[in-house]
Amino acid sequence: MAEQVELVDNFDWDNVDASGFGGNYTSEQRAEMEEMYSGTLTTVQEEEVVTGTVVGMTDRDVILNIGFKSDGLVPLSEFRDLPDLKAGDTVEVFIEEQENANGQLILSRKKAKIKQAWKAIYDALENDSVLEGVVKRRTKGGLIMDLDGVEAFLPGSQIDVKPIRDFDIYVGRRMEVKVVKINAAFDNVVVSHKVLIEKDLEKQREAILNNLEKGQILEGVIKNMTNFGVFIDLGGVDGLLHITDISWGRIAHPSEVLQLDQKLNIVVLDFDEAKKRISLGLKQLTPHPWDSLPEDMGVGTKVKGRIVNVADYGAFMEIIPGVEGLIHVSEMSWSQHLRNPQDFIKQGDVVEAQILTLDREDRKMSLGIKQLSEDPWTRGDFADKYAIGTNHNGLVRNLTNFGLFVELEEGVDGLVHVSDLSWTKKIKHPSEMVKVGDRLDVVVLELDVANRRLALGHKQLEENPWDTFQTVFTPGSVHTATIIDKNDRGAVLELPYGIEGFAYPKSLQKEDGSMAENGESLEFRVIEFSKDDRRVVLSHQAVYNKQAEEEGRAAKFAKKKPSAGAAGAASQGEGKLSDMKKTTPAEKSTLGDLDALSALRDKMMDNES
């Protein structure tokens, strides 16, 4: 028998046919239910940072509830900095997508951290606050820091107040920095650690400057080194230790006695409060070396030292560090002709010298090297060795317009006049025959020991060929000669045996009426010959017109003998090569003219010597 169902008396049979979910709810009841359900859900926006709660963890992901209709997944690798993460913990996450193709909420903790880091960076720039980061690596010109996921550049000049030579020591170190610049277009951030140090040092700097005074001894660290000195960090204030104040001795570079980062005591020499410049000294902490010189050291004492500098006028020798003496170039050799000090001495040489002057009060000393050897002019055998007529071989040291100087030995020089170089050639300058550095055979012509003068000759080593020429080139004799120089005043002729002669312009006319030219070799007749003046006057015209020439000579001797003044004036140029430079041609010389010319030549030579 079927079971009977008990009927409910209050059942609303009018709504039995209603269909759909909640179809049996009234509109008021439905609105109330929707309000209650919406209160359990959170409205979220993409690219927004929200707080999520860990509701579960797998081997790969962390499940987070952010109050949305579905939970989100975040890769476990993004929580490496939270090894103790567990269910119930809250973290900040970034909403990438509300729902992907699989209907999954996509979250990112890494992007959340970066967004928060950028916000902190902008806040730090605006509020001038301090951030802390880790140095990841070094790069060209500085360091790369990690500021909670954002890379920032720390320039090398902004690491510290002192120059940094090794950036690698900062890699991996946590440092506090300030943001100094942001380039939003390229997401570049520039930070500085130096500004934090400078603030701390400012108080120290003020304290040091307020208590600074001359003569004060301070401790510092060498932070920079240059050719002219070193900069020393005194604890926030830099001072300059000039190279001349490092050591009493002479040094070429501070690195010879100091090192970077070295700690040392220094004394304040000067202080410019307005410019905040501090001059420091190191050598002033030790006694001056001049004060330690022996009392018995004086003029005539022999000393030994090192050459520390060579100048044009001499060399400086360091006897002990801080004590130097000048060796003038004139005190390096007995030679009267000054030369370059480099010829005698080089920097770094260790030499011996004699004290010539010593002033302890002014701390000056002059030294001499030549005094350690005997003056050759005062030797007992000097007069015999360089007696008149003795032959020597010397080194050509100097050339002048009037002659050359020959060094016979160190300190003994003699002059060879240009007229004493050759019997036959008309030498205008010694360089036509010799050059500096050549060796030359000479003979002593004059010796003056009192005035330290030696007159030397070169041509005197040979017999005077003009004695022989006098028998060869007799007046009237004919010889073949070549014209080597010609102008409107006459011509210079090259004769046998290497001597030169002179011909007046009209004497160059050939028998056919034409004039002889440069390079022609013709026969010339000797018109005049003077051994004393080394002069030969010739004529080509006289070769074919001997009678006319002899008649001309006879007429000339028949003339009235000229006065002394006229003879002297005529004798100044006739028959000499200098006739070619006169403005008007001169007549041929008479015998009286030759005597006057010889006297004039001797007088000129005396004046030149």
Side-chain angles (χ1 to χ4, degrees):
M1 179 174 175
E3 182 178 355
Q4 295 183 347
V5 179
E6 184 178 359
L7 298 177
V8 180
D9 294 338
N10 60 351
F11 184 78
D12 188 1
W13 294 99
D14 295 332
N15 295 325
V16 171
D17 295 333
S19 61
F21 177 76
N24 58 343
Y25 287 94
T26 64
S27 58
E28 291 80 4
Q29 291 174 328
R30 183 180 291 109
E32 182 180 359
M33 182 175 292
E34 290 177 352
E35 183 179 356
M36 291 174 61
Y37 179 75
S38 62
T40 65
L41 299 176
T42 302
T43 302
V44 296
Q45 300 292 331
E46 292 184 358
E47 298 185 357
E48 183 181 46
V49 176
V50 297
T51 301
T53 304
V54 178
V55 296
M57 299 175 62
T58 68
D59 293 340
R60 297 178 57 184
D61 301 308
V62 175
I63 305 171
L64 294 173
N65 180 11
I66 62 171
F68 194 53
K69 64 182 180 179
S70 63
D71 292 337
L73 296 179
V74 179
L76 184 62
S77 60
E78 295 188 14
F79 295 90
R80 291 174 180 173
D81 59 326
L82 298 176
D84 299 328
L85 186 69
K86 61 185 182 298
D89 291 347
T90 58
V91 293
E92 300 287 334
V93 290
F94 179 81
I95 301 175
E96 294 193 65
E97 293 183 67
Q98 292 185 10
E99 188 174 358
N100 64 3
N102 299 323
Q104 182 68 50
L105 174 66
I106 305 302
L107 305 175
S108 172
R109 182 170 180 261
K110 180 179 179 181
K111 291 185 178 180
K113 290 177 64 179
I114 292 176
K115 190 167 184 178
Q116 288 176 323
W118 274 107
K119 182 178 182 303
I121 289 171
Y122 277 100
D123 290 343
L125 179 64
E126 182 178 355
N127 301 322
D128 194 29
S129 57
V130 178
L131 296 178
E132 186 175 355
V134 179
V135 179
K136 294 177 62 177
R137 65 184 183 275
R138 67 165 297 172
T139 186
K140 183 179 180 181
L143 302 170
I144 298 298
M145 294 191 65
D146 181 8
L147 301 178
D148 291 331
V150 177
E151 289 191 347
F153 177 58
L154 175 59
S157 61
Q158 296 298 316
I159 298 176
D160 206 335
V161 291
K162 61 182 179 181
I164 302 299
R165 288 171 288 278
D166 184 10
F167 292 168
D168 291 331
I169 62 174
Y170 290 91
V171 177
R173 183 184 300 182
R174 297 193 66 86
M175 297 177 65
E176 291 185 338
V177 293
K178 275 194 173 184
V179 180
V180 296
K181 184 179 180 181
I182 298 177
N183 188 335
F186 298 97
D187 291 338
N188 289 339
V189 182
V190 180
V191 296
S192 172
H193 178 67
K194 177 181 176 180
V195 294
L196 299 177
I197 300 176
E198 287 179 334
K199 285 189 175 181
D200 295 336
L201 293 179
E202 186 62 32
K203 295 180 181 179
Q204 300 179 33
R205 183 181 294 111
E206 293 297 328
I208 293 174
L209 294 177
N210 291 336
N211 298 321
L212 200 63
E213 58 184 20
K214 293 182 181 180
Q216 185 178 4
I217 298 177
L218 302 174
E219 183 183 65
V221 179
I222 298 175
K223 61 181 294 185
N224 195 16
M225 191 172 292
T226 67
N227 291 332
F228 57 85
V230 296
F231 289 94
I232 297 182
D233 182 5
L234 303 175
V237 181
D238 289 349
L240 174 62
L241 174 59
H242 197 268
I243 188 171
T244 57
D245 292 313
I246 294 177
S247 170
W248 290 114
R250 190 188 296 259
I251 59 175
H253 194 273
S255 60
E256 295 180 18
V257 293
L258 299 176
Q259 296 178 346
L260 287 171
D261 300 325
Q262 178 182 348
K263 281 187 178 182
L264 70 168
N265 292 328
I266 32 76
V267 60
V268 178
L269 301 180
D270 198 7
F271 171 54
D272 188 335
E273 188 172 358
K275 298 181 180 180
K276 295 184 178 181
R277 291 180 179 176
I278 306 174
S279 297
L280 305 173
L282 179 62
K283 70 181 184 181
Q284 288 79 4
L285 296 176
T286 58
H288 199 290
W290 273 85
D291 299 333
S292 62
L293 287 180
E295 291 295 332
D296 58 350
M297 179 180 288
V299 175
T301 303
K302 293 181 181 179
V303 292
K304 192 174 184 179
R306 180 175 62 92
I307 301 300
V308 293
N309 189 30
V310 180
D312 293 337
Y313 52 86
F316 290 91
M317 187 177 82
E318 183 182 64
I319 300 173
I320 59 174
V323 178
E324 297 177 3
L326 171 64
I327 308 174
H328 195 269
V329 63
S330 62
E331 303 299 339
M332 295 182 180
S333 170
W334 287 110
S335 177
Q336 295 180 344
H337 301 284
L338 299 183
R339 293 183 294 218
N340 191 326
Q342 293 279 358
D343 296 339
F344 301 98
I345 211 165
K346 299 290 186 298
Q347 186 169 336
D349 289 350
V350 177
V351 299
E352 191 175 17
Q354 181 175 312
I355 298 178
L356 304 181
T357 63
L358 179 63
D359 189 337
R360 293 177 181 269
E361 185 174 340
D362 291 338
R363 293 171 177 171
K364 292 181 179 179
M365 182 188 305
S366 63
L367 307 170
I369 296 177
K370 70 180 184 181
Q371 288 77 9
L372 299 180
S373 61
E374 185 180 6
D375 183 357
W377 287 85
T378 61
R379 286 203 312 259
D381 63 340
F382 185 83
D384 294 333
K385 183 177 180 179
Y386 296 105
I388 295 175
T390 55
N391 297 340
H392 304 275
N393 179 271
L395 185 67
V396 178
R397 282 293 187 187
N398 191 24
L399 302 181
T400 68
N401 291 331
F402 55 84
L404 58 94
F405 289 93
V406 177
E407 184 181 62
L408 302 181
E409 64 174 279
E410 184 69 29
V412 180
D413 295 346
L415 171 65
V416 181
H417 195 271
V418 67
S419 63
D420 291 317
L421 287 173
S422 175
W423 287 112
T424 58
K425 294 182 180 180
K426 299 288 185 180
I427 298 177
K428 298 179 181 178
H429 193 276
S431 59
E432 299 174 14
M433 184 173 176
V434 294
K435 61 181 181 294
V436 174
D438 287 350
R439 298 202 69 86
L440 188 69
D441 291 325
V442 293
V443 60
V444 177
L445 303 181
E446 297 180 17
L447 173 62
D448 185 350
V449 177
N451 294 313
R452 295 174 179 257
R453 294 180 59 184
L454 262 177
L456 307 173
H458 175 67
K459 71 180 184 181
Q460 289 80 2
L461 293 171
E462 301 175 353
E463 292 184 4
N464 187 351
W466 286 87
D467 293 335
T468 304
F469 295 159
Q470 187 175 19
T471 63
V472 176
F473 299 100
T474 58
S477 60
V478 177
H479 306 272
T480 300
T482 302
I483 301 175
I484 59 176
D485 189 16
K486 177 187 174 185
N487 56 34
D488 56 355
R489 298 179 183 83
V492 178
L493 311 174
E494 183 179 10
L495 291 165
Y497 310 109
I499 68 171
E500 295 176 352
F502 178 79
Y504 289 102
K506 67 178 184 177
S507 300
L508 299 174
Q509 185 176 5
K510 296 191 284 189
E511 192 170 2
D512 60 2
S514 62
M515 301 299 292
E517 299 298 336
N518 275 337
E520 286 193 65
S521 296
L522 303 170
E523 289 188 338
F524 287 83
R525 187 179 299 279
V526 178
I527 304 302
E528 296 180 20
F529 181 90
S530 174
K531 182 185 74 170
D532 295 335
D533 294 332
R534 289 183 290 167
R535 182 185 61 185
V536 183
V537 180
L538 304 103
S539 171
H540 173 66
Q541 188 182 49
V543 173
Y544 62 85
N545 194 2
K546 181 178 180 181
Q547 183 178 356
E549 187 68 25
E550 291 177 348
E551 290 176 354
R553 286 169 55 83
K556 184 174 182 179
F557 281 110
K559 291 182 181 179
K560 182 179 179 181
K561 186 177 181 180
S563 63
S571 64
Q572 290 181 7
E574 292 180 351
K576 298 173 67 176
L577 297 183
S578 58
D579 287 342
M580 300 174 67
K581 300 181 181 179
K582 300 298 180 182
T583 56
T584 59
E587 296 293 335
K588 298 181 194 174
S589 301
T590 64
L591 293 177
D593 296 338
L594 298 179
D595 295 335
L597 182 61
S598 298
L600 178 61
R601 176 184 176 276
D602 293 339
K603 182 177 181 181
M604 292 176 65
M605 290 184 65
D606 291 339
N607 291 335
E608 289 179 349
S609 61

